[in-house]
Amino acid sequence: MLTTYATERPTKHAGGIGYGRRMISVRNETRVDMEEKVAANDNWVAMIGKVRDSKDRAAFAALFQHFAPRVKSFLMKSGASESLADECMQDVMVTLWTKAHLFDASRASASTWVFTIARNKKIDALRKMRRPEPEDLVWGPEAEPDAADVVTLRQESAKLTKAILELPQKQRELIERVYFGELSHSEIAKVTGLPLGTIKSRIRLALERLRHAMG
Amino acid sequence: MPWDNDMSDVKHHLTEALLMSYAAGTLDEGYALVAASHISLCDACRAELQSYEAVGGSLMDDADAVHMSEDALEATMALIDAAPAVRPRVLKSDRVLPGPVQDYVGGDLSDVRWRAVGGGVRQAVLKTGDKSMARLLSIPAGAAMPDHSHGGLELTLVLKGAFRDEDGRFGPGDVEVATEHVHHTPIAEEGEDCICLAVTDAPLRFKGLIPRIAQPFIGI
Ligand SMILES: [Zn+2]
């Protein structure tokens, strides 16, 4: 059953693409269906909730099938060998299980949350430095994420994903190079025009509510 | 609590490039320490960081499928069954230092092991694993930071008190971003010693151990 991963999505790249090297995917005419993105995220959020609340292994298997190959792909594009990527991917998925209670759907989509876990493992495995982490803001028992924030954040996330996937190819490649570790902070000035406005204010609003709830 | 948590009076923020690099996980350790500390104190930058992380999430979500070994899920479940529970970070409620700095100090301000560098200025080097150089500095009220040179980017985050220089006033939570071309002479405000976290990409060289006091441009 697990071998179906490799054919889970149609591959869109047009030649010259390999794994394990720092290569950029070539995409043509990516059309993104917003509704589909929103529905998919709702599904993953629900699955993470099941892992958190009832250690649901079937829900975890579904999350694994979707996210594990993507995490592995991200790690390999960032310079990890296949065996290191496999090892780190397992760590990432274990963290998804053990930290499911820290996921906050009003501030991040499921993909974004998994990305941050994968990014952290990448630093630990590839950069061998300590990894300074901000203080976390965790919802207290009486302060559930605001339902309206969850709804609007998932829409903003889908919009952002759509906008990023539809960027002109050159710009998109530049951004991928930032996230796969090929551009240093002093080179990032070249990267402009990311459509972050609404999602930023949405996250800000959720943070303000959280600060307020924590008193 | 000395920190007003949402420090809405923070005026000097991280740059987009720093936030994006932090989101991507590519910042040098010392700069990442400044970024994580500022984000702990500034909701505006936290929201901006999270939007850059959303960009990473979108890119990862669209990643090409790669081959997975057949036993990957099984092997991961075995690791989960053996995984210890996650322990939350414990911070003192009346802290002065933000969490990321506490992790390096191994405690709060009272646990810092200061060394005098002259003129009443004290410093404590925080050990980083790469070439970036992170230090806590304590500058006596009204005194100038010792004249120094630095090769590349210098980030200075104020933790307590305030300083002024050519770019204005920097209070708790504010970050000054200075490139090698900026010659700046921070001077601590009167009334309270200024404690800050300063990070460069190479060790600082102090030109003299006597801090200069009261530059004409700030009108003291
Ligand atoms: Zn800020």
Side-chain angles (χ1 to χ4, degrees), chain B residues 85-97:
Chain B
V86 172
R87 277 185 307 166
R89 177 197 250 157
V90 181
L91 294 172
K92 289 182 201 160
S93 62
D94 58 345
R95 74 205 194 285
V96 175
L97 302 177

Side-chain angles (χ1 to χ4, degrees), chain A residues 2 25 57 72 132 135 179, chain B residues 22 52 61 64 67 70 81 99:
Chain A
L2 299 180
S25 304
R57 289 181 179 234
K72 183 175 170 182
E135 290 173 21
Y179 283 83
Chain B
Y22 186 87
Y52 282 119
D61 207 40
D64 301 309
H67 177 74
E70 291 190 32
D81 291 333

Side-chain angles (χ1 to χ4, degrees), chain A residues 117-185:
Chain A
I117 299 172
R119 176 223 32 216
N120 291 349
K121 295 294 170 198
K122 176 185 90 169
I123 297 173
D124 294 343
L126 294 178
R127 303 199 53 208
K128 312 239 188 284
M129 61 176 229
R130 275 181 78 173
R131 182 167 44 73
E133 271 190 295
E135 290 173 21
D136 211 346
L137 305 179
V138 188
W139 300 100
E142 295 116 52
E144 281 292 304
D146 188 279
D149 284 343
V150 175
V151 171
T152 41
L153 183 101
R154 72 183 186 180
Q155 283 161 348
E156 294 306 331
S157 300
K159 263 192 229 165
L160 178 69
T161 300
K162 180 177 161 67
I164 292 195
L165 300 188
E166 291 175 353
L167 282 174
Q169 190 172 311
K170 280 213 155 136
Q171 200 182 350
R172 159 83 186 250
E173 283 177 8
L174 209 52
I175 289 161
E176 289 191 344
R177 287 174 62 197
V178 173
Y179 283 83
F180 300 142
E182 293 175 3
L183 280 190
S184 71
H185 67 262

Side-chain angles (χ1 to χ4, degrees), chain B residues 46-219:
Chain B
R46 190 187 286 265
E48 188 154 348
L49 171 70
Q50 289 174 347
S51 62
Y52 282 119
E53 289 173 343
V55 174
S58 297
L59 292 176
M60 199 187 74
D61 207 40
D62 193 51
D64 301 309
V66 289
H67 177 74
M68 302 287 290
S69 59
E70 291 190 32
D71 65 345
L73 175 58
E74 218 176 302
T76 305
M77 289 309 314
L79 289 174
I80 283 170
D81 291 333
V86 172
R87 277 185 307 166
R89 177 197 250 157
V90 181
L91 294 172
K92 289 182 201 160
S93 62
D94 58 345
R95 74 205 194 285
V96 175
L97 302 177
V101 178
Q102 285 200 27
D103 290 344
Y104 278 74
V105 167
D108 202 6
L109 191 57
S110 54
D111 303 301
V112 175
R113 288 206 229 130
W114 295 105
R115 287 187 47 197
V117 293
V121 177
R122 297 176 298 163
Q123 76 166 8
V125 172
L126 304 180
K127 204 170 162 6
T128 54
D130 58 18
K131 63 182 168 38
S132 61
M133 168 85 182
R135 307 162 312 140
L136 291 172
L137 278 173
S138 172
I139 305 162
M145 181 169 159
D147 199 9
H148 63 281
S149 61
H150 51 88
L153 178 70
E154 182 182 40
L155 301 183
T156 309
L157 171 69
V158 177
L159 301 171
K160 195 170 186 291
F163 71 76
R164 284 177 185 275
D165 69 7
E166 293 87 332
D167 289 332
R169 179 184 186 272
F170 294 79
D174 283 330
V175 190
E176 175 163 64
V177 180
T179 63
E180 56 190 310
H181 306 296
V182 175
H183 185 85
H184 61 133
T185 314
I187 296 175
E189 269 190 357
E190 295 290 347
E192 187 180 12
D193 291 356
C194 178
I195 291 165
C196 44
L197 169 65
V199 176
T200 53
D201 51 11
L204 282 191
R205 277 177 292 277
F206 290 106
K207 283 173 182 158
L209 292 181
I210 302 160
R212 287 181 290 159
I213 299 175
Q215 299 294 303
F217 56 83
I218 57 162

